[in-house]
Amino acid sequence: MAGRYGRPRSFLRMRSLAGQVFLLQVAIVVLLVAAAATALVLQSHADSEREARNRSVAVAEAFANGPGMEAALKSPDPAAVLQPKAEAARKGSGVDFVVVLSRDAVRYTHPLPNRIGKMFVGEVGPALAGHVVTEKINGTIGPLVQAVVPVYGSKGQVVGLVSAGITIKKVSGVAEAEFPLLFGSAAGVLLLTMGGTALVTRRLKRQTHGLGPTEMTRMYEHHDAVLHAVREGVVIVGGDRRLLLANDEARRLLGLPPDVEGTPVSELGLAPAVTGLLDSGRIATDEVVAVGDRLLAVSQRATDRNGGPPGSVTTLRDTTELQALTGKAATARGRLKLLYDAGTEIGTALDVVRTCEELADFATARFADYATVDLAESVLRGEEPTAARATTGNLRRSAFSGPRDDTGLHPLGSVVRFQPSTVLGAGLLRGEAVLDTDLSRLSGWQQPDPERAGYLVECGFHSLIAVPVRARGVVLGVAMFWRAQRPEPFEEEDLSVAEELVARAAVSIDNARRYSREHNVAVTLQRSLLPQGLPDQSAIDAAYRYLPAQAGLGGLGGVGGDWFDIIPLPGARVALVVGDVVGHGLHAAATMGRLRTAVHNFSTLDLPPDELLWHLDELVARIDLDEASNGSDGGGVTGATCLYAIYDPASGRCTMARAGHLQPVIVSPEGEAAFADVPGGPPLGLGGMPFETLDVQLPPNSRLVLYTDGLVEDRRRDIDEGLDLLRETLSGHPDRTPEETCEAVLRVLVTEKARDDIALLVGRTRRLAAENVADWDVPSDPSAVARVRSEVSRKLSEWDLVEEAFTTELILSELVTNSIRYASGPIRVRLIRDRTLICEVSDRSSTSPHLRQAASMDEGGRGLFLVAQMAERWGTRYTDDGGKVIWTEQVLQPGADRQV
């Protein structure tokens, strides 16, 4: 029995009951021996410490009370007198030291002469008061006990002290001598126990077959569970032909009453054939015996084989029920196969109409001749249905399947109505399926259109099942199944199949509806957040492309987080922005919109690229913190990157900074493409690292190419290969326009449907003509204002802008006067003729003016207010040298502007 239940046994891991008894007795003996040894050791330690204390006190008191102690202590050299006596006493008493002390605890004697004259280590206060002090300490010679006793003079006063000490090791050998006797006795008891246990083990092993208590319990439980759970009857008959055991199934098949164990087989009242077989005890295999209206397959074997007890065991199997169960199993398998196939063939696309067509086609291929699906108009539009029950209002026929189209059924796209007064309409109103096994009876289904109903009957339609399309407790429409060519009508089993089929399809239809709604919302949101066109500006010729990720290829319905922007800035400058929010769907689109709006807001402050990205990084971190604190499932802004570039057409200077984004490409006027070495920064939201800028001088007709990673990264190639391919595509074509550049890049790098969003922005630089820019240096002298007005008037006359001269002179007078009055350092005025007339006044002051409403009695404060009233726009931006530029824009009359 050692290998029973697949578990090998060892001496240290015994499974048998006898082995467990043996191990228990051994463990008890070992514990008793260990306890006795521990007690002996503890007692030995206690006795040793007590003996050491008594001996040290006795020696110290004997020496203190010796004759001549007072005279020796008062002698001129107590150490010389007492050292020999103390050593003699130490050697005679067996202690480790005898030390005589003065009242100041100075040693007069010590086994080590170099210690004489030094302070005593120990407690002497009580001894000076006339008490005996004992201490247990760890000295240099090991754990010891020392005693300190007073030495009394002739007048009863304490004239000195005596200390004696002995190590515990010297007095601890008595108990150790008893260990051999203890362990010898324990070994004898252990051997005796093992011998007695061995005899018990052999006896128990024969009776339990080597099984442990758990195995014996488990074997009984398994035996009982098998007998009562098995679907075959089991009957055990003893050698005296009495019934020993009958399980529940045998009692049911043979009709046995309770408490029949011990009854002779002949008295059980069974059928003669069964009684004869049980009473004979012969071997039988699958003999069919009639018991009432049942046919039982009976098998019987003897139990005395392999040394077992006499008797027989008989098994009974109901072949009648088995045949019925076999038929039901085949039906269930066919039904499961149909539903499995429906799960693979229906709902393959997130399209409402397509799912309805798949449902109709599947039904006509399996159990119906014709199938139609009608859905509510709101469901087809992707809206959320609000009715909790099916309505009998207008439903749109969305799918039709059948061998013929001229049957009289409503065609695709037509409106179908169900009247509540009919059996069909009332059932659908309650949200219940309707089965009509004989349409020729015209039981009410024909009332909406009797003529069409009559034609259907003429075409052979004889049976109908109508099932509401229900999802999440809401009825979306109705599916109808018809039989016309198959002669057998629909049955209740068919109705159940149709309900399960429609229930599965309804989930797919509702998923497609919800997808359509979310997709439309997300696409609408994204389109509203992306630029709708190019703004009016003269700094660059721009072109862009945006390709959303395709649904099913990685994107969520063509909605993602890539974005771009072209933002006109004061001074005829322009900002080019490209960003990427990792992920797809509504959350990515909404996050993209928030970032794009933030960039627009920050750009109105006219910040340099590195400061703008710093503010954007702070915003993203704050968004993440807010969403985390609110327990939002959106996950915050993860993986957002951005590239921000500002181009000035007056100087040709381009300043760029990036936050985790790919390097832009600069194409020279000669067609040489190279990646701009913009210092890298962390993605937005990480914080902790400053952003750096790159300043480059771009000649006219240079092209600046900004893009997202979806353009160069693909599952078929590495991102480095994509970057090299982009550079090669842009190189060698100096005459391409921005539009042609976009087309060429997408044609080469995007050869199939995009799996990630792609944003591409190409800008060809322009330069302002020298004749359209005028600037003057202004000294810090109020008299210089008149000279500025004169120069400005003359320049506007050259530009044919005489009508703007008065307003411009007034604006510049106020701005220059403010700079002279409140600023320091050089003052410079610049006039730019572009789509608007731009006036700029720069100085070295970092203080920005504020617009305010002056009171009627104030002498000043109206200048900036007048400037704001006369100019279309105005503002302030700060320069790299710590100064500022106050700028204004004036709208020119049509035809007066001079575009580059």
Side-chain angles (χ1 to χ4, degrees):
M1 302 299 288
R4 184 168 296 186
Y5 299 110
R7 290 191 298 268
R9 295 214 315 264
S10 66
F11 177 78
L12 296 178
R13 193 178 179 182
M14 294 185 178
R15 298 290 184 180
S16 66
L17 181 61
Q20 293 179 10
V21 171
F22 171 74
L23 290 179
L24 180 60
Q25 292 186 3
V26 170
I28 292 174
V29 172
V30 171
L31 288 177
L32 291 176
V33 172
T38 302
L40 181 60
V41 169
L42 294 177
Q43 182 63 35
S44 173
H45 287 174
D47 293 343
S48 299
E49 184 175 342
R50 184 169 54 255
E51 176 63 21
R53 183 178 290 106
N54 293 338
R55 185 179 299 184
S56 60
V57 170
V59 172
E61 289 182 341
F63 194 82
N65 295 323
M69 280 295 296
E70 180 179 5
L73 289 172
K74 292 180 179 180
S75 67
D77 190 1
V81 177
L82 295 174
Q83 175 68 9
K85 297 179 179 180
E87 284 300 297
R90 177 181 68 83
K91 295 176 181 179
S93 61
V95 298
D96 290 289
F97 63 87
V98 176
V99 178
V100 181
L101 309 173
S102 68
R103 287 183 56 84
D104 296 331
V106 176
R107 298 189 183 102
Y108 290 145
T109 65
H110 197 277
L112 300 176
N114 61 352
R115 302 289 179 88
I116 297 174
K118 296 182 180 180
M119 297 298 296
F120 177 74
V121 179
E123 181 66 32
V124 298
L128 292 174
H131 302 287
V132 177
V133 181
T134 59
E135 294 180 283
K136 181 181 179 182
I137 61 173
N138 287 322
T140 57
I141 57 176
L144 56 88
V145 176
Q146 68 180 12
V148 180
V149 300
V151 178
Y152 294 99
S154 59
K155 298 180 180 182
Q157 77 278 13
V158 176
V159 296
L161 303 173
V162 176
S163 175
I166 186 172
T167 57
I168 297 177
K169 183 179 180 180
K170 286 187 176 182
V171 294
S172 61
V174 179
E176 295 177 356
E178 300 180 5
F179 285 165
L181 177 62
L182 173 66
F183 290 121
S185 302
V189 173
L190 184 60
L191 291 175
L192 182 61
T193 302
M194 293 178 62
T197 303
L199 297 177
V200 176
T201 300
R202 294 183 59 187
R203 177 72 175 178
L204 289 176
K205 184 175 292 186
R206 288 195 302 269
Q207 295 182 353
T208 62
H209 299 283
L211 296 177
T214 302
E215 293 172 336
M216 296 176 65
T217 303
R218 186 183 298 113
M219 182 178 66
Y220 172 78
E221 292 174 348
H222 289 176
H223 174 267
D224 187 68
V226 169
L227 284 179
H228 292 284
V230 71
R231 290 302 306 273
E232 290 189 358
V234 178
V235 176
I236 299 178
V237 178
D240 56 355
R241 316 323 303 165
R242 292 178 177 271
L243 182 66
L244 299 180
L245 183 145
N247 68 348
D248 297 341
E249 185 67 7
R251 294 173 185 272
R252 185 182 69 84
L253 295 176
L254 299 178
L256 296 175
D259 301 331
V260 293
E261 284 77 4
T263 305
V265 173
S266 58
E267 300 177 6
L268 293 176
L270 303 176
V274 177
T275 301
L277 180 60
L278 295 177
D279 193 55
S280 65
R282 61 181 176 84
I283 296 176
T285 303
D286 290 336
E287 292 186 8
V288 179
V289 178
V291 179
D293 55 353
R294 303 177 185 272
L295 293 178
L296 304 181
V298 183
S299 298
Q300 184 169 272
R301 293 291 186 273
T303 58
D304 57 358
R305 299 168 59 184
N306 300 324
S312 62
V313 57
T314 306
T315 59
L316 312 170
R317 186 173 66 255
D318 191 347
T319 58
T320 306
E321 292 185 357
L322 183 61
Q323 184 65 28
L325 291 175
T326 302
K328 291 181 180 179
T331 302
R333 280 197 305 271
R335 188 168 178 177
L336 290 175
K337 180 66 167 55
L338 184 143
L339 295 177
Y340 173 79
D341 294 341
T344 59
E345 298 181 23
I346 300 175
T348 59
L350 288 173
D351 183 85
V352 174
V353 175
R354 178 58 186 158
T355 304
C356 294
E357 293 172 350
E358 291 172 347
L359 171 60
D361 294 340
F362 183 85
T364 55
R366 295 303 182 99
F367 71 98
D369 297 322
Y370 293 89
T372 60
V373 181
D374 308 319
L375 296 181
E377 294 281 0
S378 60
V379 175
L380 293 173
R381 292 193 298 268
E383 299 175 1
E384 186 74 25
T386 57
R389 295 184 177 182
T391 61
T392 56
N394 297 340
L395 299 178
R396 182 73 60 180
R397 179 136 296 175
S398 305
F400 169 85
S401 180
R404 294 174 51 188
D405 295 332
D406 57 344
T407 58
L409 292 173
H410 291 282
L412 280 175
S414 60
V415 176
V416 182
R417 298 179 179 85
F418 299 94
Q419 296 183 0
S421 59
T422 64
V423 177
L424 180 59
L428 297 179
L429 184 63
R430 296 190 302 269
E432 300 175 355
V434 176
L435 169 63
D436 195 332
T437 58
D438 189 1
L439 297 179
S440 61
R441 294 182 302 175
L442 302 178
S443 55
W445 66 274
Q446 78 288 352
Q447 291 182 9
D449 195 342
E451 183 177 353
R452 184 185 299 272
Y455 185 69
L456 287 174
V457 174
E458 291 178 4
C459 291
F461 286 78
H462 59 83
S463 186
L464 162 69
I465 291 178
V467 182
V469 180
R470 181 194 298 271
R472 296 183 297 115
V474 178
V475 175
L476 311 178
V478 60
M480 303 181 70
F481 309 101
W482 314 75
R483 277 188 178 174
Q485 297 177 341
R486 307 184 192 191
E488 64 277 5
F490 284 122
E491 300 176 348
E492 291 292 336
E493 185 68 22
D494 298 318
L495 177 62
S496 178
V497 172
E499 288 178 332
E500 294 189 19
L501 184 64
V502 173
R504 294 202 172 196
V507 175
S508 299
I509 292 173
D510 187 58
N511 288 340
R513 177 198 61 77
R514 297 173 66 184
Y515 169 79
S516 299
R517 181 193 62 184
E518 294 177 2
H519 173 64
N520 293 336
V521 171
V523 169
T524 302
L525 173 63
Q526 187 180 41
R527 288 176 179 173
S528 66
L529 296 176
L530 287 173
Q532 304 302 311
L534 296 175
D536 293 334
Q537 47 83 32
S538 303
I540 60 171
D541 290 328
Y544 65 88
R545 293 292 186 274
Y546 178 79
L547 299 180
Q550 297 297 314
L553 297 178
L556 180 61
V559 179
D562 289 15
W563 56 283
F564 64 94
D565 219 331
I566 301 176
I567 307 173
L569 298 177
R573 298 170 304 140
V574 67
L576 304 179
V577 193
V578 169
D580 184 4
V581 177
V582 175
H584 300 90
L586 191 59
H587 183 265
T591 301
M592 175 268 293
R594 298 170 76 176
L595 296 184
R596 180 171 178 257
T597 302
V599 170
H600 269 270
N601 293 336
F602 292 144
S603 66
T604 60
L605 302 176
D606 214 345
L607 299 174
D610 54 340
E611 291 188 23
L612 185 141
L613 289 182
W614 184 84
H615 285 287
L616 197 62
D617 180 74
E618 289 290 312
L619 173 65
V620 172
R622 191 160 55 251
I623 291 174
D624 287 340
L625 184 61
D626 292 342
E627 293 195 2
S629 61
N630 294 333
S632 173
D633 294 335
V637 184
T638 57
T641 64
C642 183
L643 173 64
Y644 189 82
I646 297 178
Y647 173 68
D648 187 353
S651 61
R653 178 190 179 195
C654 184
T655 305
M656 295 175 281
R658 64 188 180 106
H661 206 79
L662 295 174
Q663 301 276 22
V665 181
I666 298 178
V667 184
S668 67
E670 294 77 20
E672 296 181 1
F675 290 101
D677 191 14
V678 182
L684 298 175
L686 296 184
M689 294 291 291
F691 297 99
E692 302 180 33
T693 60
L694 172 68
D695 290 336
V696 294
Q697 198 72 23
L698 298 181
N701 293 323
S702 299
R703 277 167 290 166
L704 185 60
V705 181
L706 285 69
Y707 54 92
T708 57
D709 59 356
L711 179 67
V712 295
E713 194 172 20
D714 189 82
R715 63 182 179 88
R716 298 177 291 105
R717 63 170 179 259
D718 188 68
I719 188 171
D720 292 333
E721 299 177 5
L723 292 173
D724 293 338
L725 184 59
L726 173 63
R727 181 173 49 80
E728 294 173 0
T729 305
L730 294 172
S731 299
H733 301 279
D735 299 330
R736 278 178 180 169
T737 64
E739 286 287 343
E740 293 171 345
T741 302
C742 289
E743 291 296 333
V745 168
L746 294 181
R747 183 171 57 253
V748 174
L749 274 80
V750 185
T751 58
E752 58 182 16
K753 293 182 178 180
R755 294 178 176 269
D756 194 8
D757 305 335
I758 296 175
L760 175 64
L761 180 59
V762 179
R764 184 171 60 186
T765 61
R766 296 176 177 177
R767 293 291 290 272
L768 293 177
E771 61 269 15
N772 291 331
V773 180
D775 53 4
W776 303 272
D777 291 325
V778 181
S780 297
D781 186 357
S783 63
V785 177
R787 189 165 56 254
V788 170
R789 286 200 304 265
S790 176
E791 295 290 341
V792 168
S793 178
R794 184 166 50 252
K795 178 57 69 174
L796 292 180
S797 297
E798 293 178 8
W799 288 346
D800 296 330
L801 299 177
V802 179
E803 295 182 1
E804 284 78 13
F806 175 77
T807 303
T808 305
E809 290 178 18
L810 180 58
I811 291 174
L812 287 176
S813 296
E814 293 295 336
L815 297 181
V816 172
T817 300
N818 281 340
S819 294
I820 293 174
R821 181 178 300 174
Y822 301 110
S824 62
I827 301 172
R828 189 173 182 82
V829 174
R830 186 168 71 163
L831 203 62
I832 300 174
R833 181 178 59 166
D834 192 45
R835 297 176 184 271
T836 60
L837 182 61
I838 303 171
C839 300
E840 295 181 347
V841 176
S842 59
D843 54 48
R844 288 298 182 87
S845 173
S846 61
T847 303
S848 177
H850 296 281
L851 181 65
R852 66 186 181 91
Q853 183 74 42
S856 59
M857 301 301 292
D858 291 345
E859 295 182 0
R862 296 179 178 85
L864 196 58
F865 179 78
L866 292 176
V867 170
Q869 295 298 315
M870 293 180 179
E872 180 70 18
R873 298 171 59 218
W874 75 279
T876 304
R877 71 173 180 270
Y878 295 94
T879 59
D880 296 337
D881 57 3
K884 69 176 183 299
V885 176
I886 303 177
W887 56 268
T888 66
E889 290 184 3
Q890 298 168 244
V891 177
L892 299 177
Q893 298 296 328
D897 59 320
R898 299 291 187 269
Q899 298 185 16
V900 180

